[in-house]
């Protein structure tokens, strides 16, 4: 069952595959941006390769470099292609995760393949690579290229607006409705597929939604993602204690001044106060 948000995002991704459009999916962490692209690709039987654009990914990693190889007992220098030329030559969907965290020199390499023809020039090899007809390119990002204004995504940066202009479609993926998020948690942690377990997971999801509303209102600086809820449910199984698992999974990540607000949210959802020892992690 599609929500309005997920349906529009799915249509945007499908347009990228069908019409060779460059699609960027933006949203908060844990909303399933990369997974959404992967799942669409899987249903289309389209190979998908993901690259995490952290600060250690360099131009050489993308383009390639000369390397010493041994051939028939002789050492020689040979150009080893990076992931970008390889992907361009093949029928695959290339997904750049954490796109707004990429280094400037890396971003300018990517900018060329965002053009309509998408050709890549390898200067060292005197070669121009024409992309495979089934090559597609996507990106996921927490911000929308304007930098981090919330303080949640340290390490992200503003993206050159000339490059942003080359993305044909920018879709937004928000958090799922409560019912769908509960079903996802139950699918990942089957032990909760009981009447009592479903009540607990429902309360967990309500708790997560309160933190999201608190963040939007400016009361909290830390947000519970669906991934956090799944981790909480798994940790509760390990420790056999929902309260203690909550502290280990989320509460201990919060600012000391905000823990009282989080504890209030918890009491609303579970109709009980968090034990003091749990709050301080003792």
């Amino acid at each position: 069952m599609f929500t309005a948000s997920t349906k529009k995002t799915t249509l945007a991704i499908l347009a990228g595959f069908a019409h060779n459009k460059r699609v960027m999916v933006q949203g908060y962490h844990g909303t399933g941006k990369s997974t959404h692209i992967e799942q669409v690709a899987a249903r289309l039987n389209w190979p998908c390769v993901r690259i995490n654009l952290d600060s250690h990914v360099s131009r050489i990693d993308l383009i390639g470099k000369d390397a010493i190889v041994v051939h028939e007992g002789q050492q020689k220098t040979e150009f080893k292609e990076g992931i970008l030329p390889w992907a361009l030559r093949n029928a695959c969907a290339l997904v750049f995760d954490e796109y707004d965290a990429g280094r400037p020199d890396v971003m300018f390499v990517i900018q060329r393949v965002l053009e309509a023809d998408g050709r890549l020039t390898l200067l060292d090899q005197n070669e121009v690579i024409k992309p495979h007809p089934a090559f597609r390119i996507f990106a996921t990002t927490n911000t929308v290229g304007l930098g981090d204004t919330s303080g949640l995504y340290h390490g992200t940066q503003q993206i050159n607006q000339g490059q942003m202009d080359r993305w044909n479609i920018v879709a937004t993926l928000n958090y799922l409705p409560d019912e769908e998020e509960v079903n996802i948690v139950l699918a990942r942690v089957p032990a909760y597929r009981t009447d009592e377990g479903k009540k607990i997971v429902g309360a967990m999801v309500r708790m997560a939604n309160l933190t999201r509303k608190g963040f939007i209102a400016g009361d909290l600086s830390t947000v519970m993602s669906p991934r956090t809820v799944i981790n909480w449910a798994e940790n509760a199984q390990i420790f056999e204690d929902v309260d203690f698992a909550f502290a280990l999974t989320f509460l201990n990540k919060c600012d000391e001044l905000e823990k009282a607000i989080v504890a209030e949210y918890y009491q609303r959802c579970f109709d009980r106060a968090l034990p003091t020892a749990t709050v301080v992690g003792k």
Side-chain angles (χ1 to χ4, degrees):
M1 177 181 176
F2 281 114
T3 64
S5 175
T6 56
K7 181 178 180 180
K8 290 177 180 177
T9 303
T10 303
L11 289 173
I13 295 169
L14 285 171
F17 280 108
H19 301 285
N20 194 17
K21 297 296 183 181
R22 281 42 176 146
V23 181
M24 174 182 286
V25 182
Q26 181 267 339
Y28 287 121
H29 59 290
T31 53
K33 301 180 293 294
S34 304
T35 303
H36 206 118
I37 298 171
E38 280 186 322
Q39 289 300 313
V40 172
R43 283 157 175 75
L44 295 175
N45 198 27
W46 210 302
C48 183
V49 178
R50 288 172 57 182
I51 299 175
N52 191 51
L53 282 186
D54 58 51
S55 60
H56 293 287
V57 175
S58 66
R59 183 181 185 278
I60 289 176
D61 294 324
L62 288 186
I63 298 296
K65 60 182 177 180
D66 289 327
I68 298 175
V69 298
V70 177
H71 181 68
E72 296 180 353
Q74 299 284 331
Q75 285 188 350
K76 65 176 185 177
T77 302
E78 184 178 285
F79 182 75
K80 291 291 186 181
E81 283 187 348
I83 188 66
L84 191 54
W86 176 89
L88 281 164
R89 298 181 198 276
N90 289 276
C92 73
L94 184 60
V95 182
F96 289 109
D97 285 331
E98 315 301 341
Y99 190 72
D100 47 2
R103 290 163 43 171
D105 58 328
V106 171
M107 306 305 279
F108 282 113
V109 172
I110 298 170
Q111 183 164 318
R112 181 64 187 92
V113 300
L114 293 177
E115 297 286 355
D117 58 6
R119 288 183 170 87
L120 177 67
T121 302
L122 297 179
L123 296 176
D124 295 342
Q125 302 301 304
N126 294 324
E127 180 184 7
V128 177
I129 301 175
K130 182 179 180 180
H132 189 284
F135 170 75
R136 299 291 184 269
I137 188 167
F138 299 87
T140 66
T141 172
N142 295 128
T143 69
V144 73
L146 300 176
D148 178 23
T149 58
S150 66
L152 274 180
Y153 304 113
H154 179 70
T156 58
Q157 55 195 344
Q158 291 186 337
I159 299 174
N160 183 304
Q161 287 301 298
Q163 180 166 148
M164 282 298 298
D165 192 53
R166 287 167 167 79
W167 288 96
N168 310 122
I169 298 172
V170 177
T172 299
L173 188 61
N174 293 316
Y175 291 116
L176 294 169
D178 288 10
E179 184 180 350
E180 289 190 41
E181 191 167 342
V182 166
N183 289 336
I184 289 173
V185 177
L186 293 176
R188 290 291 300 271
V189 193
Y192 283 97
R193 291 177 185 169
T194 62
D195 291 341
E196 182 61 26
K198 290 176 182 177
K199 288 180 182 178
I200 294 173
V201 172
M204 289 177 171
V205 171
R206 289 195 298 275
M207 176 67 201
N209 277 327
L210 284 177
T211 67
R212 295 161 194 167
K213 291 176 182 176
F215 170 75
I216 293 171
D219 297 328
L220 293 181
S221 57
T222 310
V223 177
M224 289 183 70
S225 70
R227 186 185 300 118
T228 307
V229 180
I230 292 170
N231 289 337
W232 180 10
E234 290 174 340
N235 289 340
Q237 284 291 295
I238 294 171
F239 296 103
E240 299 181 347
D241 187 331
V242 174
D243 298 346
F244 183 52
F246 175 72
L248 296 179
T249 309
F250 179 73
L251 186 65
N252 291 343
K253 298 177 183 177
C254 298
D255 186 283
E256 289 294 331
L257 298 177
E258 297 175 356
K259 286 185 177 180
I261 298 173
V262 175
E264 181 186 337
Y265 292 164
Y266 194 92
Q267 186 165 17
R268 285 192 217 169
C269 297
F270 287 88
D271 198 25
R272 66 173 182 267
L274 277 170
T276 304
T278 300
V279 174
V280 298
K282 293 182 181 178

